[in-house]
Amino acid sequence: MLAALQARAAATARPGRVSLQLLHKGARGVRSSDARASSAVQPAQPSQPAAVSAVVQLDEAGFAVLPKELPSMRGVDFKQELDPRYAETIEVIIDGHPVQVQKGSSLIQACEQVGIQVPRFCYHERLSVAGNCRMCLVEIEKAPKPVAACAMPAAPGMKVFTNSPIVKKAREGVMEFLLANHPLDCPICDQGGECDLQDQSLFFGSDRGRTTESRRGVEDKNLGPLVKTVMTRCIHCTRCVRFATEVAGVDELGTVGRGNAMEIGTYVERMLDSEISGNIVDLCPVGALTSKPYAFTARPWELRSVESIDVLDGYGSNIRVDTRGGEVMRILPRLNEDINEEWISDKTRFAYDGLKRQRLDTPLIRPDPEMPLQPATWKDALTLVAQKFKATPGARIGAFAGPLADVESMLALKDLCNAFDSEAIHCDVPAGPLADCRAAYTLGSTIAGVEEADAVLLLSTDLKREAPLLNARLRRRVYHDGVRVASVGPRVPLTYEYEHLGDSVSQLLELANGTHPFCKVLAGAQRPLVLVGTGAYERTDARGVAWAVQKLVTSVPALIQDGWLGFGTVQPTAAAVGALDLGLTPLASSAAAGVGASDGAIAEPLGLVYLLGYDSIDLDRLSPDAFVVYQGHHGDVGAETADVVLPGSAYTEKVGTYANMEGRAQRTARAVSPPGEARDDWKILRAISELAGKPLPYAGVDGIRERLAAVAPQLADGTESIHAVSPDIAKAMLAVRASDKFDFDTKTPFASCIDNFYMTDAISRASTTMASCTKAFAK
Amino acid sequence: MRAASVQRPASRLFRTSAALSAGQGTHIHRDSAGNSESTPWEWTPESLKKIDMYLARYPDTPQGKMSAIMPLLWVAQQQTDEAHATIKAKPSYDGAFAFDSPQGSGGWVPLAAMHAIADLLGCPRMAVYEVATFFTMYNRNQQGKFHIQLCATTPCMVCGAYDILASIEKHLGIKCGETTADGTFTLTEVECLGACVNAPMVQINDYFFEDLTPQSVVKLLDDLKAGNPVKIGPQNARVHSLGPLGRTSLKSPPKGPYCRDLSQIPAN
Ligand code: SF4
Ligand code: FES
Ligand code: FES
């Protein structure tokens, strides 16, 4: 938006924070519009940004004399790079400069391609064009009146003016109408400082209003615990409505009434029940829709932003963590076309208050099984754990990595246990029988590739909850291209139409045997896709299910072909793919798994249980004399059972590698420091190894990365690219004997692996926002 | 206080029109005793026949079917018009006629009916809400038995619509947007109803009453309430919308040249 403009104006004033505030003071001064305006016309301070003109000249009527020409939108440099994908270009003349733009672009896109920002409110590249705010008016030679650049296709030879006097006047007119009903409540508005209307009124707003009427009042709507509404601020751009209907697939939001009485709302009181509703907060160009949990907690210019990634689900959304004074204030999406585009799910965005509650910030030791945990020093706690490692035979040591564990700490955990002859290192992944085949436990098609699929089969997954943004991509595919989606699993609303084939193993077997009618659809598709939810493997007959899935996948040739791997698992946790890449043993069934009940790998009851953020422990199956170490950041179930608690750091406090469901390794960044005495997770494990007398062969972060590169190079190269499995290998690994026989449980229906989207891990379980969402939305 | 030195070259009016604010109330649904999601709604056989007729007019696609939202809302309003039979309408001149069935203006669309429409057409409920709130013709709340829609657009206003309004308000003791305590009358101010030649006028349920005076409108309301016959159309001696001099133009077939040969067009 005008951020570039603003940055430029800011650069001419003073660096950093100060100039930003000045700018907004400028903005307020320029458009204060009530009766007190006469006194508000003060000579501007000399330090005011250049764009607002140093000294305000007044005409006889007392109005500011504004420059006739708009400030140029940037130092005009029309040498642009063309996107090679769209080789065809046309020539248009923008502001007197002949430029090549891609054929089929609208004028607003054409201007963007050559670096000219046209102000806008309603236009958004990911939503349909509404053309209703009229802020993007430009002049076209020979056109009788200014035209909306967002809705006008660029035609060859078109002469466009983006900063002529007519354009300026038109935009000023639009701005005046927008402000006529917009409250002057910027000082108490959460959007203040990052508001498109505020920014643009700086350039197109008048220094006073001409209306004598009171502004219209609009009732605020209750959209639920996440989105706060102040509907008098709404400028009716309808971005929120378009997002809800086009991307999120909820039809509850709309425009009611007409003319001056038009409102955005739900007509009947309805909460916005969508896993990605928080994005309308980002989309709203004004402060009509703001974040409820963030309300009145910070101003944008006080925040320090760190670019990171999200680990609360397996999607790996790119995020920006905004902090102030060592505290995470909010989380926003960051653009990544291959993963989350510019959206994030509500859990990603709003669970951050869980980072501040129930934290483990000091080592704890339980002196006696009957006594509560007591604070201890790092030295005592680590020495105790080290002793246990030395004293327990390797076969009786078991380690369990939870859903939020980063690759580095899992590697250190594995190396530590291996050093003490233990092979029982487990992860919280029910990938079950397919844990050896990367093509099977990742999303072979890649996330963006889902939009190339032309027939989709879902197995045992509630995609809308397990991966809301993946579901939104699939929705787009269904809506734009009419792709057929079928599901064997829970009958849940997915925001698009799909064929529900059933929810029992019999349908899967029919599909695997090629007798089900949907097999024809898969066989006829160029790029079929089979997505399996991990719920399919959380069953007693997981081996049989895996066999049937493999049989199905290998029976459709187009599923695995050169350049297309149409088979994948929707991993619900951020640790899953990394853990399997490192060779951790998946638990047969995380829900049913007590410690010691995994895959039959452990014969003896465990004497030392090491829980790395692992909370799904089954207390009844833990042998009473087991010594339990819990390393993690939240006082969740795992910590309560522990004999020693070692405080680790959460994803906003450490640099950690995580592989998302498509196998893309990305790193989190340290936005704040861990609370109290908490430490980086892998360093804690390294320290134990030292004290136990078998130091791990790496000391610094470079060391562990080197080690990672040796064990799992695909996680360590730092390129954030996906290392695809070759089709031949995938085929070979997935091949099964058709004659194998399994006992199938035809009674238990296929279910999703999560039952409450809002609470899936220690952080979201500690979040009050997520708790209120659970109350409002969970079935 | 505004400082005297500040000139205001123009001031603009952004007032919400009475029709929208006073007449139609808010654009947000509030549950009330007779109007909530759980209120039962059944289409009558006649309505269902009409619905079939309307649906046949639109393409049988999700988009096409949504075009039927407007006629279906109207069918719902026809179905809820209970007062029609009690209005003894007398045509005021030859050729004018009274409707033998409710046309829709005397009814309202309950929320449950909107939902029934959405289910019938397979479209989001919001799409129906959006249409129903956009047009003042759809009443989203139960109106009085007689719904007076008073036109106050320019021609009627010039001819004294506000005097008529004042007279009605005084007589019934209600303001625009309100319903009398006995539930007999609802008064709404609306924009032009297309009878400007015979201004000022009101529409009561399905009928126009034109050429009103502050006195004649009071009598009209009393007659309606008492169930007496009422004259529809001009309340004075006017025929159709002829001016005082009677018919002055278009008395003979228009002279040529014609854009098409009218003689070639079969009669009827
Ligand atoms: S609420 Fe915000 S996003 Fe929605 S229409 Fe209003 S201004 Fe636009
Ligand atoms: S951006 Fe073009 S009309 Fe809104
Ligand atoms: S102005 Fe009243 S009917 Fe046209």
Side-chain angles (χ1 to χ4, degrees), chain B residues 151-157 161 190-197 199-201 208:
Chain B
C151 168
T153 303
T154 320
C156 281
M157 191 193 82
V190 296
E191 303 303 334
C192 179
L193 289 170
C196 328
V197 174
M201 60 82 66
F208 277 18

Side-chain angles (χ1 to χ4, degrees), chain A residues 718-731:
Chain A
T719 59
E720 297 190 359
S721 56
I722 301 174
H723 294 251
V725 182
S726 93
D728 294 337
I729 296 184
K731 258 194 213 137

Side-chain angles (χ1 to χ4, degrees), chain A residues 121-122 229-231 233-242 253 255 262 264 280 283-289:
Chain A
F121 292 113
C122 69
T229 64
V230 183
M231 294 316 285
R233 297 181 188 144
C234 172
I235 57 167
H236 300 156
C237 68
T238 69
R239 274 187 189 183
C240 53
V241 177
R242 281 174 287 147
L253 210 57
T255 51
M262 177 174 143
I264 298 290
I280 61 175
L283 282 174
C284 184
V286 296
L289 306 176

Side-chain angles (χ1 to χ4, degrees), chain A residues 108 118-124 129-137 148-151 237 242:
Chain A
I108 209 168
V118 177
R120 88 267 327 245
F121 292 113
C122 69
Y123 174 78
H124 192 279
V129 173
N132 54 13
C133 75
R134 318 309 289 178
M135 194 60 203
C136 63
L137 293 174
C150 67
C237 68
R242 281 174 287 147

